[in-house]
Amino acid sequence: TNLLALPPSESATNLLALPPSKSSLGQYQKQKVAVEDVMIEARRMWRAENPHQAKSSSQEDRDFRELFGIGPLIAPIVWNLLVTSDLVPEGGKLAHFMWTLHEMLS
């Protein structure tokens, strides 16, 4: 089985177009996310003053790739595939996924 293959009802375009989704606790937990959700979480990890305010897109793209090893357009696709395939552990959050990406670079 190809775990990276998209289910027939999903496409890369659909995965990127999902609206931001948060649980009642304000954490992204086993829910599909959009690029903006990933960027907000990355800005929190960068300890930005306002995680909802972006820097220049080219600078954020470079920073994201440097810290996580993949582009900001790919991260939500991978997370959404994990969620769709029910591979996110109980209690798993987007932040855990992103820290995992970061640690894999070390």
Side-chain angles (χ1 to χ4, degrees):
T1 305
N2 185 353
L3 294 177
L4 296 178
L6 293 171
S9 62
E10 300 285 347
S11 71
T13 304
N14 290 343
L15 292 172
L16 289 174
L18 292 168
S21 55
K22 296 181 183 178
S23 71
S24 60
L25 298 175
Q27 300 292 326
Y28 305 96
Q29 186 171 345
K30 293 183 84 168
Q31 296 179 3
K32 292 184 177 182
V33 297
V35 174
E36 185 57 27
D37 297 323
V38 170
M39 292 309 298
I40 289 170
E41 196 61 47
R43 289 182 205 117
R44 284 189 182 118
M45 293 170 77
W46 296 329
R47 300 189 190 276
E49 287 183 26
N50 181 358
H52 296 279
Q53 182 178 0
K55 297 187 280 185
S56 75
S57 60
S58 61
Q59 181 63 46
E60 282 198 335
D61 185 65
R62 278 192 303 271
D63 292 346
F64 193 96
R65 287 174 189 276
E66 183 179 330
L67 188 62
F68 302 110
I70 61 174
L73 296 177
I74 302 303
I77 293 172
V78 174
W79 172 259
N80 292 337
L81 286 170
L82 291 170
V83 169
T84 301
S85 302
D86 199 29
L87 295 173
V88 178
E90 190 63 38
K93 298 177 183 174
L94 178 61
H96 299 145
F97 167 70
M98 294 178 67
W99 279 112
T100 301
L101 290 175
H102 173 66
E103 290 300 317
M104 287 173 48
L105 289 176
S106 301

